[in-house]
Amino acid sequence: MSENNSGLDFSMVIASIVHDMKNSLSSVMTAHGKWSQGLPEEQRNTAERGVIDYEFANLNGMMVQLLGLYKLGVNQLPLRPEYHEMDDFIEAQLAWHQEVLDSRGISASHDVDVLCPLGFFDRELVGSVVANVIINAIRFARGAIHISAWEEDGQLVLGINDDGPGYPPALIESQSAYVQGINPVSGSTGLGLYFAARIAERHERNGVVGRVELANGGSLGGGYFKLYLP
Amino acid sequence: MLAYNQKSFLIVDDFSDFRSSVRSMLRELGVKDVDTADTGEQALKACAQKRYDFVLHDFNLGDGKKNGQQVLEDLMLDKLLSHESVFIMVTAENSQAMVMSALEWEPDAYLTKPFNRAGLAQRLEKLVQRKTLLKPILQALDKGLPMEVLAACTRLTQEDARYAPLCHRYKAEALRDLNQHEPLEAFLKTILADRPTPWAFGALGNLLFKRKNLAEAQDVYERALKTFPMLPALYDGLADVLVARNDGKRAQQVLEDAVKLSPLAVRRQSLLGKLAMENQDFDSASRAFRQAVNQGQYSRFKNPETNLGFAQALISKGGDAGLDARSRVELNQTLTDVAKDNNDDQGIQVRTRLIKATSLQRSNPEEAAKLAEEAVSRLQSMDQFLSAEAALSVAAQLQNLGQDEAGVGVLKSCAEIYGDDPQVMQNIAKQTDDPAILGSNKIAIDYNQQGVRAYREGRFVEAQALFRQALALQPKNISIALNLAQGLLHAKGVPITGAGLEECRACLRTVGHMPESDARFERYQKLRNRAFGA
């Protein structure tokens, strides 16, 4: 990419390696899924299985996020919003995480406000944000997560709630600093928040931009992540 | 749960591991009927033989192969896939395929690898639900009845207003197919005022362009690209508008941006090559044409003009220094390919020989002269009409190769065939001052215009006489011949006689030699079907 060949564009090197890593991981995941289907029942649902499934999903989510951040950095993140059925979108997310949820014994539920069955957003981008939030919720949940979609002041809100201990107060207090990238963006939580905020704000309608909000509480009492899409 | 055992599936992927893994997921869901293919060509063949309910197609089937987007376009354009069937594009990385996609043909869903059985089942289930909801629309689409599509959209929207946005696009496309320009424009503007939507921007730009409202079309595309700078289809639209506004320089820049995003697009690369040639940017022209030729091998947009353009660009790039060794190899290859592929096309045979001759003019004048003579003799026995553009470049090459007389002949016949187009006449004037060519058609064109006026005012017999007079002066002029044919066939209150029908058929036989790329070809086909029976 650089004009002279004096050095490597390190972020591009990382991005292309992550891209290949993601493909490798994808093959491993598919092969593992197939292999474990063939196991006898008693060997299938072990604690190790839970770890493997969880970390597969976690790794995949981090790589998607890394590639997304790279593209965001070089201004190449495509945005392609469309109308989507909210129950379809949420069910697809939960189906994709089904093995992890099962092996961790977490029950997942969802509800969609009947008055707003459709949302207008980029499915891939918002999907990658929601996937990361779900992975995070699964890590801390005791036994349940709940996803809901409703309308608030003409905006679509996607809420992801768990019954874990909740986000650390310090994180909630300084969330705007993470969102703006002021706090050193290190660790997956801060990075995830930064990525989510960037994706949210690419969704714009008549001057209103999307945003994210962290809180504790909700019906399950634990961490409560909200994504606002105008 | 769906009754999967009744449904047929086609899995297309170049990795056998992936095919077998998806096949076993489908088996677990109760699917019995699964076929697989590892190339796009095989997928098309399979769909031609059997109606599939579901196609799971990997986007990237390897370099130099048809990709999923191309297969989808082929399936839809050749009507090999029902609108009720589900097409899922499987991608390794989520954004890549979407950047490549054309706005016109989008898959029903994207599915990112890796996916699990539960994820696949959920997508299938939901897509079937959606197709069931939209069934009346999809059936009308399969039947090719836009009026019915429109009615179905209205009905669905009335039944449940919450799902109205799902009908937007079908409604817009039906209005487009029905040429209901004003309602379509108003509808698209309402959608865009509410939310910036990529396809609606594309559709509005296209509509304004079609209606020659170029300034507004440009504005729409420029606004669209501010919000969606990653969608190459919008760049294509803007480039078309800029070309129509005679801003070839900017059109080239815009397409350069688009190929940076998405180089795999035959039409885009060839148009870029053509614009770069006009802008005398021979480096870019040869680069773009090279891409277009290579990609075109597997595309439905394969076009002999691309090969000829590539050869021409290489010659121009070499300039006075002549061709280097690599360019010569490329030139010979591309000309050999196109001559072989178009064995029966006399025009292509003439043009390949002339380009080859031009390339040899310095290094091997004897061979060049021999090829030029061969081209001239083929030209003399040719019935087919060259397009105006091709005729002009053939004329220039002939003159350049010392075949002045033949060059003048080509210009003369070009002036006869296309003389009613002032743009063509201007370009002819760049090559000759001969009043016999430049002025020869004035009287005929005048009669033709009077004829058109008479026809519009319902004076059909008079119109026929005027067209007849015009055609007697310029027997090969496409517009005049079509006008006479139409004037004879469609004259209200003046039923066509046996002699009239013969005269009409004779007109159509003559202009039947026009190139298929001509804008009037469709009109010709309609008249021919009418005059000769479909």
Side-chain angles (χ1 to χ4, degrees):
Chain A
M1 292 290 260
S2 57
E3 295 281 316
N4 48 16
N5 288 327
S6 59
L8 287 170
D9 175 351
F10 199 58
S11 57
M12 195 181 82
V13 173
I14 293 192
S16 57
I17 291 176
V18 172
H19 175 85
D20 291 348
M21 285 165 72
K22 196 178 157 290
N23 285 339
S24 295
L25 179 67
S26 163
S27 305
V28 177
M29 287 169 82
T30 307
H32 177 258
K34 225 165 121 184
W35 173 75
S36 54
Q37 287 299 325
L39 290 177
E41 190 64 35
E42 66 275 13
Q43 286 177 37
R44 221 183 277 174
N45 294 315
T46 58
E48 291 81 5
R49 168 86 194 272
V51 175
I52 291 171
D53 285 339
Y54 178 81
E55 295 302 341
F56 271 162
N58 196 13
L59 266 173
N60 188 69
M62 287 193 282
M63 287 179 186
V64 170
Q65 198 167 288
L66 241 164
L67 289 170
L69 284 167
Y70 169 73
K71 287 188 195 151
L72 205 58
V74 294
N75 235 337
Q76 280 189 4
L77 194 63
L79 175 72
R80 193 143 189 193
E82 259 181 279
Y83 282 99
H84 299 287
E85 291 169 61
M86 292 313 296
D87 57 352
D88 173 33
F89 174 74
I90 297 172
E91 281 164 17
Q93 285 296 331
L94 293 175
W96 155 239
H97 290 99
Q98 198 184 49
E99 282 99 354
V100 193
L101 291 161
D102 287 350
S103 57
R104 292 234 164 184
I106 294 170
S107 74
S109 56
H110 71 280
D111 71 282
V112 173
D113 185 347
V114 287
L115 292 176
C116 58
L118 300 182
F120 187 81
F121 53 88
D122 184 303
R123 187 175 179 119
E124 296 296 332
L125 295 182
V126 173
S128 62
V129 169
V130 171
N132 281 322
V133 178
I134 293 177
I135 282 293
N136 195 53
I138 290 173
R139 182 198 301 265
F140 294 105
R142 290 190 186 91
I145 67 172
H146 184 75
I147 304 182
S148 42
W150 69 95
E151 206 184 286
E152 213 173 286
D153 302 328
Q155 296 198 52
L156 172 74
V157 192
L158 255 171
I160 298 139
N161 194 198
D162 64 62
D163 63 352
Y167 294 106
L171 182 63
I172 290 181
E173 254 166 58
S174 57
Q175 56 178 296
S176 68
Y178 280 108
V179 161
Q180 290 159 32
I182 295 171
N183 271 21
V185 178
S186 61
S188 60
T189 315
L191 199 63
L193 201 50
Y194 175 79
F195 182 65
R198 293 288 85 75
I199 301 289
E201 72 188 14
R202 304 248 354 231
H203 291 80
E204 187 190 336
R205 183 190 190 189
N206 298 324
V208 182
V209 294
R211 64 192 171 86
V212 295
E213 195 182 293
L214 286 190
N216 288 328
S219 57
L220 293 176
Y224 199 13
F225 180 97
K226 280 187 272 187
L227 177 65
Y228 290 79
L229 296 168
Chain B
M1 266 295 264
L2 270 168
Y4 283 118
N5 56 355
Q6 306 287 333
K7 304 283 181 192
S8 54
F9 282 74
L10 177 66
I11 306 168
V12 190
D13 199 296
D14 50 342
F15 285 106
S16 63
D17 265 7
F18 182 81
R19 292 195 301 267
S20 70
S21 129
V22 176
R23 187 198 281 271
S24 62
M25 283 184 199
L26 290 172
R27 286 241 175 85
E28 287 161 32
L29 293 171
V31 178
K32 295 215 168 70
D33 184 354
V34 185
D35 294 332
T36 57
D38 57 6
T39 65
E41 284 76 12
Q42 275 185 30
L44 289 168
K45 217 176 277 171
C47 288
Q49 278 162 9
K50 176 168 164 185
R51 187 194 140 131
Y52 289 97
D53 299 306
F54 297 86
V55 178
L56 288 158
H57 202 297
D58 188 60
F59 173 72
N60 185 1
L61 294 176
D63 290 340
K65 301 280 179 60
K66 247 188 214 297
N67 66 36
Q69 183 62 38
Q70 292 170 322
V71 174
L72 176 59
E73 283 174 17
D74 287 351
L75 286 174
M76 298 316 287
L77 288 169
D78 297 338
K79 301 196 190 320
L80 295 178
L81 193 69
S82 158
H83 287 86
E84 290 189 75
S85 302
V86 172
F87 186 101
I88 299 180
M89 192 78 80
V90 180
T91 61
E93 203 197 321
N94 39 32
S95 52
Q96 149 213 31
M98 274 183 252
V99 172
M100 303 291 197
S101 81
L103 281 172
E104 309 143 77
W105 305 115
E106 288 185 69
D108 293 303
Y110 291 95
L111 198 57
T112 311
K113 286 180 187 176
F115 52 82
N116 55 7
R117 193 185 67 188
L120 178 63
Q122 190 276 338
R123 295 307 294 135
L124 295 178
E125 191 107 354
K126 199 64 209 182
L127 286 164
V128 169
Q129 267 179 35
R130 183 185 279 209
K131 294 257 167 181
T132 310
L133 178 77
L134 300 175
K135 195 170 190 149
I137 298 179
L138 304 173
Q139 284 177 335
L141 279 173
D142 276 348
K143 284 186 269 176
L145 297 172
M147 273 313 269
E148 238 176 68
V149 173
L150 222 49
C153 288
T154 312
R155 249 186 345 263
L156 265 170
T157 308
Q158 279 166 354
E159 274 163 27
D160 194 339
R162 296 175 309 166
Y163 289 101
L166 299 182
C167 299
H168 280 170
R169 192 154 179 186
Y170 297 112
K171 181 174 164 184
E173 284 168 359
L175 288 171
R176 179 198 64 196
D177 294 343
L178 291 165
N179 285 320
Q180 297 201 15
H181 298 321
E182 280 89 16
L184 176 57
E185 187 172 334
F187 180 55
L188 292 170
K189 283 182 173 165
T190 320
I191 293 174
L192 288 170
D194 185 40
R195 295 177 181 283
T197 310
W199 69 263
F201 271 125
L204 182 58
N206 204 298
L207 175 68
L208 293 166
F209 175 67
K210 211 162 75 184
R211 303 188 75 191
K212 307 253 184 305
N213 195 344
L214 299 177
E216 200 184 341
Q218 181 173 346
D219 180 62
V220 165
Y221 281 120
E222 280 169 352
R223 263 194 301 141
L225 281 169
K226 259 187 209 125
T227 319
F228 304 110
M230 293 293 293
L231 293 183
L234 296 172
Y235 292 81
D236 295 339
L238 179 56
D240 287 341
V241 175
L242 290 167
V243 169
R245 300 191 85 185
N246 292 317
D247 193 348
K249 285 250 153 60
R250 251 203 84 202
Q252 186 190 337
Q253 283 165 14
V254 166
L255 286 184
E256 304 263 13
D257 288 341
V259 298
K260 255 179 238 154
L261 287 174
S262 172
L264 294 176
V266 179
R267 281 172 299 175
R268 183 176 303 137
Q269 295 280 11
S270 357
L271 181 58
L272 176 56
K274 206 175 139 211
L275 287 171
M277 275 304 268
E278 286 167 13
N279 294 333
Q280 316 250 314
D281 180 352
F282 303 124
D283 272 338
S284 299
S286 33
R287 207 176 316 129
F289 274 128
R290 180 180 297 118
Q291 287 278 349
V293 169
N294 289 341
Q295 294 168 22
Q297 287 173 277
Y298 301 97
S299 160
R300 70 181 298 115
F301 300 111
K302 182 174 186 164
N303 184 339
E305 296 299 331
T306 315
N307 292 56
L308 298 176
F310 183 34
Q312 199 63 62
L314 288 170
I315 294 174
S316 302
K317 189 181 149 202
D320 290 336
L323 291 164
D324 56 43
R326 181 181 165 224
S327 298
R328 177 154 313 273
V329 172
E330 282 191 296
L331 179 124
N332 289 338
Q333 185 65 49
T334 200
L335 288 179
T336 310
D337 287 349
V338 75
K340 211 163 75 193
D341 283 352
N342 299 276
N343 207 9
D344 298 333
D345 187 327
Q346 283 302 316
I348 298 290
Q349 297 302 327
V350 169
R351 290 166 69 197
T352 48
R353 280 173 177 75
L354 285 176
I355 296 176
K356 185 84 187 271
T358 307
S359 79
L360 290 169
Q361 216 177 350
R362 275 201 193 77
S363 56
N364 189 349
E366 273 165 43
E367 178 69 16
K370 207 179 108 207
L371 282 164
E373 258 159 52
E374 233 180 277
V376 170
S377 86
R378 277 175 185 260
L379 197 57
Q380 275 152 359
S381 62
M382 188 172 105
D383 297 324
Q384 184 196 347
F385 295 177
L386 292 169
S387 73
E389 227 180 320
L392 285 161
S393 81
V394 164
Q397 282 158 350
L398 285 168
Q399 268 168 8
N400 182 34
L401 289 161
Q403 298 280 355
D404 295 48
E405 204 184 317
V408 169
V410 169
L411 286 181
K412 207 175 264 173
S413 96
C414 180
E416 182 177 338
I417 298 171
Y418 302 99
D420 53 302
D421 182 340
Q423 185 72 49
V424 173
M425 289 311 291
Q426 260 178 41
N427 288 331
I428 292 178
K430 284 180 196 158
Q431 291 192 30
T432 181
D433 302 321
D434 188 349
I437 297 176
L438 295 176
S440 62
N441 47 31
K442 286 228 162 61
I443 305 170
I445 286 158
D446 199 44
Y447 280 139
N448 180 47
Q449 279 165 352
Q450 291 179 38
V452 171
R453 217 168 303 133
Y455 182 80
R456 287 211 184 113
E457 288 163 8
R459 292 176 279 127
F460 297 115
V461 179
E462 206 185 321
Q464 289 172 3
L466 285 160
F467 290 139
R468 199 172 287 128
Q469 269 175 296
L471 196 67
L473 292 166
Q474 300 276 290
K476 286 189 198 162
N477 184 286
I478 299 176
S479 295
I480 300 175
L482 289 177
N483 285 346
L484 180 54
Q486 182 174 339
L488 288 163
L489 277 176
H490 299 272
K492 271 186 213 99
V494 190
I496 191 161
T497 62
L501 188 62
E502 251 336 291
E503 187 182 15
C504 170
R505 287 178 174 170
C507 289
L508 294 172
R509 262 183 225 116
T510 311
V511 294
H513 299 301
M514 77 163 94
E516 282 179 35
S517 56
D518 194 285
R520 291 162 295 189
F521 192 74
E522 205 184 313
R523 184 175 159 217
Y524 156 74
Q525 280 181 308
K526 278 189 190 147
L527 289 168
R528 189 190 57 191
N529 289 345
R530 189 70 190 268
F532 292 89

Coordinates of all heavy atoms in Angstrom, one line a residue, chain B residues 66-106:
Chain B
K66 N -16.2 -18.4 -12.2 CA -17.4 -17.7 -12.0 C -17.7 -17.6 -10.5 O -17.5 -18.6 -9.8 CB -18.6 -18.5 -12.5 CG -19.3 -17.8 -13.7 CD -20.5 -18.6 -14.1 CE -20.8 -18.6 -15.5 NZ -21.2 -17.4 -16.2
N67 N -18.0 -16.4 -9.9 CA -18.3 -16.3 -8.5 C -19.8 -16.4 -8.3 O -20.6 -16.4 -9.2 CB -17.6 -15.1 -7.9 CG -18.3 -13.8 -8.4 OD1 -19.5 -13.7 -8.7 ND2 -17.4 -12.8 -8.6
G68 N -20.2 -16.5 -7.0 CA -21.6 -16.6 -6.7 C -22.5 -15.6 -7.2 O -23.6 -15.8 -7.6
Q69 N -22.0 -14.3 -7.2 CA -22.8 -13.2 -7.7 C -23.1 -13.4 -9.2 O -24.2 -13.2 -9.7 CB -22.0 -11.9 -7.5 CG -22.8 -10.7 -8.0 CD -24.1 -10.5 -7.2 OE1 -24.2 -10.8 -6.0 NE2 -25.1 -10.1 -7.9
Q70 N -22.0 -13.8 -10.0 CA -22.2 -14.1 -11.4 C -23.2 -15.2 -11.7 O -24.1 -15.1 -12.6 CB -20.9 -14.4 -12.1 CG -20.0 -13.2 -12.1 CD -18.6 -13.6 -12.6 OE1 -18.1 -14.6 -12.2 NE2 -17.9 -12.7 -13.3
V71 N -23.1 -16.3 -10.8 CA -24.1 -17.4 -11.0 C -25.5 -16.9 -10.7 O -26.4 -17.2 -11.4 CB -23.7 -18.6 -10.1 CG1 -24.7 -19.6 -10.1 CG2 -22.3 -19.1 -10.5
L72 N -25.6 -16.1 -9.6 CA -27.0 -15.6 -9.3 C -27.6 -14.8 -10.5 O -28.7 -14.9 -10.8 CB -26.9 -14.8 -8.0 CG -28.2 -14.1 -7.6 CD1 -29.3 -15.1 -7.3 CD2 -28.0 -13.3 -6.3
E73 N -26.7 -13.9 -11.0 CA -27.2 -13.1 -12.2 C -27.6 -14.0 -13.3 O -28.7 -13.8 -13.9 CB -26.1 -12.1 -12.6 CG -26.0 -11.0 -11.7 CD -24.8 -10.0 -12.0 OE1 -24.3 -10.1 -13.2 OE2 -24.4 -9.3 -11.2
D74 N -26.8 -15.0 -13.6 CA -27.1 -15.9 -14.7 C -28.5 -16.6 -14.4 O -29.3 -16.8 -15.3 CB -26.0 -16.9 -14.9 CG -24.8 -16.3 -15.6 OD1 -24.9 -15.1 -16.0 OD2 -23.8 -17.0 -15.7
L75 N -28.6 -17.1 -13.2 CA -29.8 -17.8 -12.8 C -31.1 -17.0 -13.0 O -32.1 -17.4 -13.6 CB -29.7 -18.3 -11.4 CG -28.8 -19.5 -11.1 CD1 -28.8 -19.7 -9.6 CD2 -29.3 -20.7 -11.8
M76 N -31.0 -15.7 -12.6 CA -32.2 -14.9 -12.7 C -32.4 -14.4 -14.1 O -33.6 -14.5 -14.6 CB -32.0 -13.6 -11.8 CG -31.8 -13.9 -10.3 SD -33.0 -15.2 -9.6 CE -34.5 -14.3 -9.6
L77 N -31.4 -14.0 -14.8 CA -31.6 -13.5 -16.2 C -32.0 -14.7 -17.1 O -32.8 -14.4 -18.0 CB -30.3 -12.9 -16.7 CG -30.0 -11.5 -16.1 CD1 -28.5 -11.1 -16.4 CD2 -31.0 -10.5 -16.5
D78 N -31.5 -15.9 -16.9 CA -32.0 -17.0 -17.7 C -33.2 -17.7 -17.2 O -33.6 -18.7 -17.7 CB -30.8 -18.0 -17.9 CG -29.6 -17.4 -18.6 OD1 -29.9 -16.4 -19.3 OD2 -28.5 -17.9 -18.5
K79 N -33.8 -17.1 -16.1 CA -35.0 -17.7 -15.5 C -34.8 -19.2 -15.1 O -35.7 -20.0 -15.4 CB -36.2 -17.5 -16.4 CG -36.4 -16.0 -16.7 CD -37.8 -15.9 -17.2 CE -38.1 -14.5 -17.8 NZ -37.5 -13.3 -17.1
L80 N -33.7 -19.5 -14.5 CA -33.4 -20.9 -14.1 C -33.8 -21.1 -12.7 O -33.7 -22.2 -12.2 CB -31.9 -21.2 -14.3 CG -31.4 -21.2 -15.8 CD1 -30.0 -21.6 -15.8 CD2 -32.2 -22.2 -16.6
L81 N -34.2 -20.0 -12.0 CA -34.5 -20.1 -10.6 C -35.8 -19.4 -10.3 O -35.9 -18.2 -10.7 CB -33.4 -19.6 -9.7 CG -33.4 -19.9 -8.2 CD1 -33.1 -21.4 -8.0 CD2 -32.4 -19.0 -7.5
S82 N -36.7 -20.1 -9.7 CA -38.0 -19.4 -9.4 C -37.8 -18.3 -8.3 O -36.9 -18.5 -7.5 CB -39.0 -20.4 -8.9 OG -40.0 -19.8 -8.2
H83 N -38.6 -17.3 -8.3 CA -38.5 -16.3 -7.3 C -38.9 -16.9 -5.9 O -38.6 -16.4 -4.9 CB -39.4 -15.1 -7.6 CG -38.8 -14.2 -8.7 ND1 -39.0 -14.5 -10.0 CD2 -38.0 -13.1 -8.6 CE1 -38.4 -13.5 -10.7 NE2 -37.7 -12.7 -9.9
E84 N -39.7 -18.0 -6.0 CA -40.1 -18.6 -4.8 C -39.0 -19.5 -4.1 O -39.1 -19.8 -3.0 CB -41.3 -19.5 -5.0 CG -42.6 -18.8 -5.3 CD -43.8 -19.7 -5.3 OE1 -44.2 -20.1 -4.3 OE2 -44.3 -20.0 -6.4
S85 N -38.0 -19.8 -4.9 CA -36.8 -20.6 -4.4 C -36.0 -19.6 -3.5 O -36.0 -18.4 -3.7 CB -36.0 -21.2 -5.5 OG -36.8 -22.0 -6.3
V86 N -35.2 -20.3 -2.7 CA -34.3 -19.5 -1.8 C -32.9 -19.6 -2.2 O -32.4 -20.7 -2.4 CB -34.4 -20.1 -0.3 CG1 -33.4 -19.4 0.6 CG2 -35.8 -19.8 0.2
F87 N -32.2 -18.5 -2.4 CA -30.8 -18.5 -2.8 C -30.0 -17.9 -1.6 O -30.2 -16.7 -1.3 CB -30.5 -17.7 -4.1 CG -29.1 -17.8 -4.6 CD1 -28.8 -18.6 -5.7 CD2 -28.1 -17.0 -4.0 CE1 -27.5 -18.7 -6.2 CE2 -26.8 -17.1 -4.5 CZ -26.5 -18.0 -5.6
I88 N -29.1 -18.7 -1.0 CA -28.3 -18.2 0.1 C -26.8 -18.1 -0.4 O -26.3 -19.1 -0.9 CB -28.4 -19.1 1.3 CG1 -29.9 -19.2 1.8 CG2 -27.5 -18.6 2.4 CD1 -30.1 -20.1 3.0
M89 N -26.2 -16.9 -0.2 CA -24.8 -16.7 -0.5 C -24.0 -17.0 0.7 O -24.2 -16.4 1.7 CB -24.6 -15.3 -1.0 CG -23.3 -15.1 -1.6 SD -23.3 -15.7 -3.3 CE -24.1 -14.3 -4.2
V90 N -23.1 -18.0 0.6 CA -22.3 -18.4 1.7 C -20.9 -17.7 1.5 O -20.3 -17.7 0.5 CB -22.1 -19.9 1.8 CG1 -21.2 -20.3 2.9 CG2 -23.4 -20.6 1.9
T91 N -20.5 -17.0 2.6 CA -19.2 -16.2 2.4 C -18.3 -16.5 3.6 O -18.7 -16.9 4.7 CB -19.5 -14.7 2.4 OG1 -20.1 -14.4 3.7 CG2 -20.4 -14.3 1.3
A92 N -17.0 -16.4 3.3 CA -16.0 -16.6 4.3 C -15.9 -15.4 5.2 O -15.7 -15.4 6.4 CB -14.6 -16.9 3.7
E93 N -16.0 -14.2 4.6 CA -16.0 -13.0 5.3 C -17.2 -12.2 5.0 O -17.6 -12.1 3.8 CB -14.7 -12.2 4.9 CG -14.2 -11.3 6.0 CD -13.2 -10.3 5.4 OE1 -12.4 -10.7 4.6 OE2 -13.3 -9.2 5.8
N94 N -17.7 -11.5 6.0 CA -19.1 -11.0 5.7 C -19.2 -9.9 4.7 O -20.1 -9.9 3.9 CB -19.7 -10.6 7.0 CG -18.7 -9.9 7.9 OD1 -17.8 -9.3 7.5 ND2 -18.9 -10.1 9.2
S95 N -18.2 -9.0 4.6 CA -18.5 -7.8 3.8 C -18.1 -8.1 2.3 O -18.6 -7.4 1.4 CB -17.7 -6.7 4.3 OG -16.3 -7.1 4.5
Q96 N -17.2 -9.0 2.1 CA -16.6 -9.1 0.7 C -17.6 -9.3 -0.4 O -17.7 -8.6 -1.4 CB -15.6 -10.3 0.8 CG -15.4 -11.1 -0.4 CD -15.2 -12.6 -0.1 OE1 -15.7 -13.1 0.9 NE2 -14.4 -13.3 -0.9
A97 N -18.6 -10.2 -0.2 CA -19.5 -10.5 -1.2 C -20.5 -9.3 -1.4 O -20.9 -9.1 -2.6 CB -20.3 -11.7 -0.9
M98 N -20.7 -8.6 -0.4 CA -21.7 -7.5 -0.5 C -21.1 -6.4 -1.3 O -21.8 -5.7 -2.1 CB -22.1 -7.0 0.8 CG -23.2 -7.8 1.3 SD -23.8 -7.2 2.9 CE -23.2 -8.5 3.9
V99 N -19.8 -6.2 -1.2 CA -19.1 -5.2 -2.0 C -19.2 -5.5 -3.5 O -19.4 -4.7 -4.4 CB -17.7 -5.0 -1.6 CG1 -17.0 -4.0 -2.5 CG2 -17.6 -4.4 -0.2
M100 N -19.1 -6.8 -3.7 CA -19.1 -7.3 -5.1 C -20.4 -7.3 -5.7 O -20.6 -7.2 -6.9 CB -18.6 -8.8 -5.2 CG -17.3 -9.0 -4.5 SD -16.1 -8.3 -5.6 CE -14.6 -9.1 -5.0
S101 N -21.5 -7.3 -4.9 CA -22.8 -7.6 -5.5 C -23.3 -6.4 -6.3 O -22.9 -5.3 -6.0 CB -23.8 -7.9 -4.4 OG -24.2 -6.7 -3.8
A102 N -24.1 -6.7 -7.3 CA -24.8 -5.7 -8.0 C -26.0 -5.4 -7.2 O -26.5 -6.2 -6.5 CB -25.1 -6.2 -9.4
L103 N -26.5 -4.1 -7.4 CA -27.7 -3.8 -6.6 C -28.9 -4.5 -7.1 O -29.9 -4.7 -6.4 CB -27.9 -2.3 -6.6 CG -27.0 -1.5 -5.7 CD1 -27.2 0.0 -5.9 CD2 -27.4 -1.8 -4.2
E104 N -28.9 -4.9 -8.4 CA -30.1 -5.5 -9.0 C -30.4 -6.9 -8.5 O -31.5 -7.2 -8.3 CB -29.9 -5.6 -10.5 CG -29.5 -4.3 -11.2 CD -28.6 -4.6 -12.3 OE1 -29.1 -4.9 -13.4 OE2 -27.4 -4.4 -12.1
W105 N -29.4 -7.7 -8.4 CA -29.6 -9.1 -8.0 C -29.0 -9.4 -6.7 O -27.8 -9.5 -6.6 CB -29.0 -10.0 -9.0 CG -29.5 -9.8 -10.4 CD1 -28.8 -9.3 -11.5 CD2 -30.9 -9.9 -10.9 NE1 -29.6 -9.2 -12.6 CE2 -30.8 -9.5 -12.3 CE3 -32.1 -10.3 -10.3 CZ2 -32.0 -9.5 -13.1 CZ3 -33.2 -10.3 -11.1 CH2 -33.2 -9.9 -12.5
E106 N -29.8 -9.5 -5.7 CA -29.2 -9.8 -4.4 C -29.8 -11.1 -3.9 O -30.9 -11.5 -4.2 CB -29.7 -8.7 -3.4 CG -28.9 -7.4 -3.6 CD -29.2 -6.4 -2.5 OE1 -28.8 -6.6 -1.4 OE2 -29.9 -5.4 -2.9

